Amino acid sequence: MINVFFCARPERWDMYHPALTRAFAALDLDVNLTRDPDPETVDYIVYAPNGPVSDFTPFTRTKAVLSLWAGVETIVGNPTLTQPLCRMVDAGLEEGMVEWVTGHVLRHHLGMDAQILNQSGIWSPKVPPLARNRTVAVLGLGALGQACAQALSALRFNVIGWSRSAKKVDGLACFHGPDGLHSALQQAEIIVLLLPHTPETENVINAETLALMPKGAVIINPGRGALIDDEALLTALDSGQIGHATLDVFRQEPLPAAHPYWAHPGVTVTPHIASETRAETAAEVIAENIRRGEAGTPFLFLVDRDKGY
Ligand code: NAP
């Protein structure tokens, strides 16, 4: 019997319990899935950063912590976590992110606000350019960034991507490293942030990098709030250097009601809903990692603790 601790918010249990039970059965895993275990008996922890555990010391025989979240910035530096940590790469999460990013890119590309917000009776035709004449930069070419970049590329946007290590991705011009960031931003009319929050990516969008973008560029951030220097972004919005920012994630969530982003006409706030892990597909990933742990084969999506993602 494999003991699995479901360590997430209680309201997630009704959704995940049946999905995980099905996924374990599909792989012939004999699992005792519980929310209230004796820590010393736990083999695997299915973990959400907003769940009940932050001290992993009592989990002496745990073989891996399997995150339900793609972003692991709040747990990766936890000194009590000595077990392997796997992040979530989930087909459902990816699909949701592709849909959200594509929708918000198209909003700005097509200038939809001009029609939706201005039904004034004045006939003023302005045909949007073709996607092929619009450059979109996707910062972060991991599971989510690559999926979004490829979907945008399929719509014929001129997509460029940026990552830490050098990459080749079909249909994209790829840049990497600090110099590559400058080249990518100088061309980008729409920038999509799908980087993890690490010490290196914090404030990657700051006064200096904002100034590199073409005047009126749009920023779309479904990555993490700390990627952006908020003061610098507000200044760039006020000066017109940045035309609009669509922000899904923030340093403080929920975003406080008094935060200037809520009232700024150049900002669209969405409440961290770009995408979420979907129980049905995520359960299959969790089950596969437990199968691997039991078979002694390498885990999928292992977090590199030094890199922080
Ligand atoms: P991932 O697969 O780990 O990919 C991360 C990408 O960022 C990689 O391409 C990586 O480069 C790049 N990167 C990391 N540090 C960098 C640096 N210093 N300079 C340049 N590039 C750097 O992550 P993912 O699954 O795509 O998820 C990305 C992020 O999306 C998550 O960390 C999370 O914060 C966010 N997210 C948000 C939501 C939401 O609803 N808003 C939902 C899920 C996830 P390499 O390829 O060279 O390693």
Side-chain angles (χ1 to χ4, degrees):
M1 177 76 79
I2 307 163
N3 290 319
V4 176
F5 174 23
F6 184 77
C7 179
R9 293 252 286 269
E11 64 269 23
R12 296 278 158 173
W13 176 253
D14 286 349
M15 194 192 300
Y16 274 94
H17 180 250
L20 285 166
T21 303
R22 273 193 295 277
F24 295 147
L27 293 187
D28 268 338
L29 296 169
D30 185 14
V31 169
N32 170 36
L33 180 64
T34 170
R35 286 184 286 179
D36 187 23
D38 171 359
E40 289 180 5
T41 66
V42 170
D43 296 304
Y44 298 91
I45 303 178
V46 175
Y47 179 81
N50 60 358
V53 169
S54 56
D55 180 6
F56 294 89
T57 317
F59 296 92
T60 47
R61 83 172 209 196
T62 297
K63 296 171 198 162
V65 172
L66 307 172
S67 176
L68 289 171
W69 291 18
V72 290
E73 69 278 1
T74 58
I75 179 186
V76 72
N78 185 328
T80 69
L81 179 59
T82 53
Q83 299 88 345
L85 169 66
C86 300
R87 62 193 202 84
M88 179 51 67
V89 175
D90 159 37
L93 174 70
E94 183 182 303
E95 276 173 45
M97 187 60 81
V98 167
E99 291 172 18
W100 188 90
V101 165
T102 307
H104 285 278
V105 166
L106 284 171
R107 168 191 172 193
H108 295 296
H109 166 64
L110 296 174
M112 286 182 182
D113 292 13
Q115 275 71 50
I116 293 169
L117 304 175
N118 183 21
Q119 296 286 297
S120 61
I122 299 166
W123 186 264
S124 63
K126 189 169 179 262
V127 177
L130 289 176
R132 70 174 74 200
N133 296 319
R134 179 85 69 191
T135 299
V136 182
V138 179
L139 307 191
L141 288 177
L144 300 176
Q146 277 199 35
C148 292
Q150 283 174 326
L152 293 168
S153 183
L155 289 171
R156 302 194 180 229
F157 283 101
N158 176 38
V159 185
I160 57 185
W162 182 66
S163 54
R164 176 189 176 112
S165 56
K167 285 212 173 350
K168 278 195 177 149
V169 182
D170 276 355
L172 314 190
C174 294
F175 297 88
H176 69 279
D179 293 345
L181 177 62
H182 287 206
S183 308
L185 291 181
Q186 278 164 350
Q187 306 173 45
E189 296 161 88
I190 301 177
I191 294 108
V192 178
L193 302 178
L194 275 166
L195 295 159
H197 174 202
T198 70
E200 283 180 34
T201 62
E202 177 141 1
N203 289 331
V204 68
I205 300 302
N206 54 44
E208 190 199 337
T209 51
L210 286 161
L212 294 170
M213 299 171 198
K215 194 165 175 69
V218 167
I219 293 178
I220 298 178
N221 185 17
R224 281 293 180 263
L227 301 174
I228 296 179
D229 174 338
D230 295 322
E231 286 301 317
L233 176 57
L234 286 163
T235 303
L237 284 159
D238 289 341
S239 73
Q241 169 59 15
I242 295 301
H244 197 94
T246 295
L247 309 173
D248 185 56
V249 282
F250 305 90
R251 283 167 195 271
Q252 188 185 344
E253 294 181 6
L255 184 68
H259 196 286
Y261 280 152
W262 281 115
H264 200 291
V267 177
T268 301
V269 170
T270 65
H272 202 144
I273 45 80
S275 191
E276 72 170 2
T277 304
R278 314 289 154 150
E280 214 52 52
T281 40
E284 292 168 12
V285 177
I286 298 283
E288 171 59 16
N289 256 340
I290 292 176
R291 189 194 69 73
R292 285 167 173 254
E294 294 306 289
T297 51
F299 289 114
L300 296 172
F301 316 128
L302 204 54
V303 171
D304 180 327
R305 308 292 275 274
D306 294 328
K307 285 200 278 181
Y309 67 98

